[in-house]
Amino acid sequence: MKRRKFIQKTAASTAFISLSGLGLTSCTQSTATKITILHTNDVHSHIEAFGPNEGRNANKGGVARRASLVETLRNENPNTLLLDAGDIFQGTPYFNFYGGELEFKLMSMLKYDVATIGNHDFDNGINGLYAQLPHAKFDFISANYDFTNTVMDTHVKPYKTFVKDGIKIGVFGLGIELQGLVNKAAYKETVYLDPIEIAQDMSRILKTEEACDLIICLSHLGYEYKKAPSKISDIKLAKATQDIDLIIGGHTHTFLDKPTVETNAVGKSVLVNQVGCYGLYLGKIDFYFDAKKLKAIESDTQRV
Amino acid sequence: MYKYIQIIGFISLFLSCDHSKKLTKTEGENISISKALKSNPAIEAVIAPYKANLDKSMNEVLSYAVNTYSKRDGDYNTAIGNLMADAVFELSNPIFKSRTGYELDMVLLNHGGIRSILPKGNVTTKSAYSLMPFENSVVVVALKGSVLMEMTAYLKAFKRAHPISGLELVLNADNSYQKIRVNGKAIDPTKTYYVATNDYLYNGGDRMYFLKKSDTLYDLNYKIRNVLIDYFTKYDTLNPKKDQRFIKLNN
């Protein structure tokens, strides 16, 4: 045992020497990276901005304004993802008249990277959602809806990974229990699976198999249910799981001033964020990564 | 031996360039989409033809709202909820009566089904779409008085201003019943009551499973939104009030 320990130490110091010997040429560009995550939820077909007489929402929102903000932020940092946490559909006559076509077209123009599915996205039935897919140039993810026996089969992935400036980002989707919320005739044979179990599977796959540096859960479970504390929510999910860095939520139309910091099952911090509804806000989370080379070598070598 | 480990060390070093970045700092903010942001003209151009077509149908002025009404303005009942439940009662009852010969006893809708405020000023077709974007329609169920008691227990437990009409429910501070009345009378457990609701709630929405305990379902094929449009057309001024129909006393 003692001998092995000695070798590990030596290996670490050897590597240290090698590092200085090699020079920093192979690593110089990767000193620090900023990843920006932009997000919306529960936009509910709010294409236009609210008018001047619409109470507390007056003069807020609007996809055209969101587009210019997203463009500005992408110019500031090209390492940006734009995500939506569901309930894209239903809430203005745009949905009643056009069935979600314009919502998907505009989200495609804004270059959304991925979205998850909310309960109201079933409002024209699962066939109504499927019918609009040709207008969406972004992917849908849901890990806990099993669409096997529905028209959405193969059109929804459990997760998606992205690489931005050497940082691998894994995003998985979670949806709310549909029974009691959506007419069975609308969601048909969609099967709801336990979000905590699925989240644990997903974070393990994304962490170990996909080797992601950043793991994001795109959830339509709802922020927190104080009157029904046993009901699964983003806050409960954050506490019960591990390896998730950020939970982007929806459903409860919760307006947070800033992301909530929760402690996960292994004592690490998880961010939970949600931006209310109707496209009134855009969430923005910046993750800064530093290439901690020496530290990384030590831990890698110890595995040897 | 040392040489071998050194090689491993090298491999680790190369890997670290790509994979061993460490999360050091996180910042977050939620940015308001305000008037100060300029509108993207390409997006506006795509919206324009859709909007022009919609506006033709949406901008007809139907009525006038004296105030701004929100579903948040009340704990157990709200002016806007009362307007919706009363509108469903008033406009559905003649249809139900002409088809079945029975009269409605009460209406139960859901608080979550009020999807916007009703702003002070002109009330248009669009206002009805904002309040009720869903395609749900009025259905009538025949419930025994004993099942109506399950409904009052639900309303009591959930503490939400679910819109009701025809039912009067007064709770004491300790959450016991002070008064339960339908059409001004105590509930008879054996009598059949006709309750208008919407198909979403009948099908298990908001877990109002007691609505399924009906042997008959009468679908009026009358969308809630069309009830609102017809109600706004019927009344040139809207001035709904929060009242005593569902309250909790401070006793």
Side-chain angles (χ1 to χ4, degrees):
Chain A
M1 284 307 286
K2 261 186 178 166
R3 184 175 155 78
R4 204 174 159 196
K5 210 169 184 182
F6 170 76
I7 293 168
Q8 277 172 356
K9 270 189 175 170
T10 313
S13 53
T14 311
F16 181 61
I17 294 156
S18 314
L19 176 68
S20 47
L22 253 177
L24 292 165
T25 44
S26 62
C27 288
T28 39
Q29 80 278 23
S30 53
T31 46
T33 305
K34 177 171 130 181
I35 301 291
T36 298
I37 306 297
L38 303 178
H39 61 92
T40 51
N41 59 275
D42 299 89
V43 178
H44 282 295
S45 304
H46 280 269
I47 307 281
E48 294 174 47
F50 281 87
N53 303 318
E54 305 209 52
R56 59 179 188 164
N57 300 335
N59 300 313
K60 284 188 184 170
V63 179
R65 288 178 189 159
R66 195 197 318 152
S68 62
L69 176 61
V70 167
E71 197 178 0
T72 306
L73 296 173
R74 275 213 182 94
N75 288 338
E76 281 173 18
N77 182 15
N79 301 318
T80 291
L81 289 181
L82 176 58
L83 314 174
D84 186 274
D87 276 7
I88 295 163
F89 287 174
Q90 189 72 274
T92 72
Y94 282 99
F95 179 69
N96 306 95
F97 276 59
Y98 310 116
E101 171 185 325
L102 186 57
E103 289 83 331
F104 282 0
K105 273 188 181 173
L106 297 176
M107 286 173 75
S108 303
M109 287 180 77
L110 265 70
K111 300 190 177 68
Y112 271 80
D113 291 284
V114 74
T116 195
I117 298 167
N119 48 302
H120 282 295
D121 298 319
F122 292 94
D123 277 7
N124 278 351
I126 194 163
N127 293 316
L129 174 61
Y130 174 74
Q132 299 304 332
L133 290 182
H135 300 293
K137 290 181 188 151
F138 52 91
D139 286 329
F140 287 92
I141 50 168
S142 180
N144 72 325
Y145 287 160
D146 179 355
F147 287 113
T148 307
N149 294 319
T150 75
V151 289
M152 291 297 282
D153 187 30
T154 74
H155 296 284
V156 182
K157 301 176 179 78
Y159 68 87
K160 214 182 156 184
T161 62
F162 304 86
V163 178
K164 297 276 178 188
D165 196 18
I167 301 289
K168 191 166 182 186
I169 307 154
V171 189
F172 70 96
L174 286 180
I176 193 166
E177 184 167 17
L178 297 169
Q179 192 200 343
L181 196 58
V182 178
N183 194 338
K184 167 86 170 138
Y187 67 82
K188 295 194 189 302
E189 298 305 314
T190 307
V191 178
Y192 165 85
L193 305 170
D194 181 74
I196 290 183
E197 278 175 34
I198 295 291
Q200 278 163 335
D201 282 353
M202 281 294 120
S203 52
R204 181 184 48 78
I205 289 167
L206 292 172
K207 189 83 186 171
T208 58
E209 292 175 27
E210 295 279 3
C212 290
D213 302 294
L214 185 64
I215 297 176
I216 299 169
C217 171
L218 199 51
S219 152
H220 200 76
L221 294 174
Y223 180 73
E224 191 175 25
Y225 299 97
K226 287 197 171 136
K227 287 182 187 173
S230 64
K231 190 170 172 175
I232 180 66
S233 64
D234 293 338
I235 293 293
K236 283 192 71 164
L237 186 80
K239 290 177 181 168
T241 54
Q242 65 185 75
D243 292 327
I244 300 172
D245 297 292
L246 168 65
I247 299 172
I248 293 169
H251 188 64
T252 43
H253 297 195
T254 305
F255 290 92
L256 297 174
D257 292 331
K258 55 179 187 342
T260 305
V261 183
E262 269 301 336
T263 304
N264 74 10
V266 292
K268 289 188 180 164
S269 295
V270 197
L271 292 186
V272 181
N273 202 23
Q274 190 179 148
V275 286
C277 53
Y278 308 153
L280 299 171
Y281 291 86
L282 181 72
K284 177 176 180 276
I285 316 279
D286 294 317
F287 291 97
Y288 294 84
F289 288 84
D290 252 333
K292 292 255 169 129
K293 299 174 195 84
L294 271 179
K295 207 172 179 185
I297 287 163
E298 276 175 22
S299 58
D300 277 3
T301 314
Q302 272 162 17
R303 257 183 255 148
V304 178
Chain B
M1 183 73 190
Y2 282 161
K3 223 169 194 175
Y4 167 77
I5 289 163
Q6 205 177 341
I7 290 163
I8 301 291
F10 267 106
I11 293 165
S12 305
L13 174 67
F14 281 110
L15 285 177
S16 75
C17 295
D18 291 327
H19 290 292
S20 301
K21 293 191 174 184
K22 200 175 159 64
L23 182 57
T24 53
K25 190 173 68 162
T26 312
E27 288 173 347
E29 60 175 324
N30 294 332
I31 307 168
S32 176
I33 306 297
S34 73
K35 247 172 139 175
L37 291 164
K38 69 172 175 47
S39 278
N40 179 311
I43 296 286
E44 284 194 324
V46 171
I47 297 172
Y50 290 87
K51 177 174 161 54
N53 185 40
L54 265 190
D55 283 352
K56 274 190 279 179
S57 323
M58 289 297 132
N59 291 346
E60 192 188 347
V61 176
L62 307 176
S63 185
Y64 180 84
V66 174
N67 274 307
T68 294
Y69 306 98
S70 164
K71 69 173 175 183
R72 288 178 182 80
D73 298 339
D75 293 331
Y76 288 83
N77 81 91
T78 64
I80 184 66
N82 294 343
L83 178 149
M84 286 176 75
D86 291 346
V88 169
F89 197 113
E90 184 177 324
L91 298 180
S92 302
N93 194 34
I95 299 169
F96 180 62
K97 196 178 177 185
S98 72
R99 289 189 194 169
T100 64
Y102 303 122
E103 296 253 12
L104 282 183
D105 290 291
M106 64 164 290
V107 172
L108 170 68
L109 300 174
N110 62 322
H111 184 249
I114 308 169
R115 300 302 286 192
S116 74
I117 60 165
L118 182 65
K120 181 178 175 170
N122 285 339
V123 176
T124 61
T125 308
K126 191 181 177 183
S127 315
Y129 271 87
S130 302
L131 278 166
M132 189 58 209
F134 312 140
E135 304 298 335
N136 298 110
S137 57
V138 181
V139 297
V140 179
V141 289
L143 301 179
K144 288 279 177 236
S146 54
V147 180
L148 237 51
M149 291 308 294
E150 290 179 38
M151 180 198 295
T152 60
Y154 172 97
L155 291 169
K156 191 169 82 158
F158 275 76
K159 299 172 191 164
R160 290 188 83 182
H162 288 307
I164 55 173
S165 183
L167 170 69
E168 210 185 333
L169 183 58
V170 178
L171 305 174
N172 291 310
D174 66 358
N175 230 25
S176 60
Y177 296 116
Q178 164 77 19
K179 182 160 83 170
I180 309 170
R181 293 282 184 275
V182 174
N183 285 328
K185 288 180 198 154
I187 292 174
D188 174 351
T190 59
K191 186 181 173 253
T192 297
Y193 293 85
Y194 294 97
V195 179
T197 183
N198 67 50
D199 56 341
Y200 167 76
L201 298 176
Y202 174 76
N203 286 310
D206 273 2
R207 301 180 188 274
M208 293 192 187
Y209 300 129
F210 50 83
L211 293 172
K212 276 263 160 125
K213 296 184 177 176
S214 168
D215 6 332
T216 327
L217 176 72
Y218 306 91
D219 187 349
L220 301 192
N221 290 310
Y222 192 9
K223 284 184 183 175
I224 303 280
R225 183 171 55 247
N226 290 337
V227 170
L228 294 176
I229 290 171
D230 293 345
Y231 191 81
F232 297 160
T233 308
K234 185 174 174 183
Y235 294 102
D236 62 9
T237 307
L238 303 172
N239 190 13
K241 301 284 186 210
K242 185 164 87 174
D243 57 26
Q244 306 294 304
R245 68 183 73 187
F246 184 16
I247 54 169
K248 187 171 184 171
L249 302 171
N250 298 319
N251 52 4

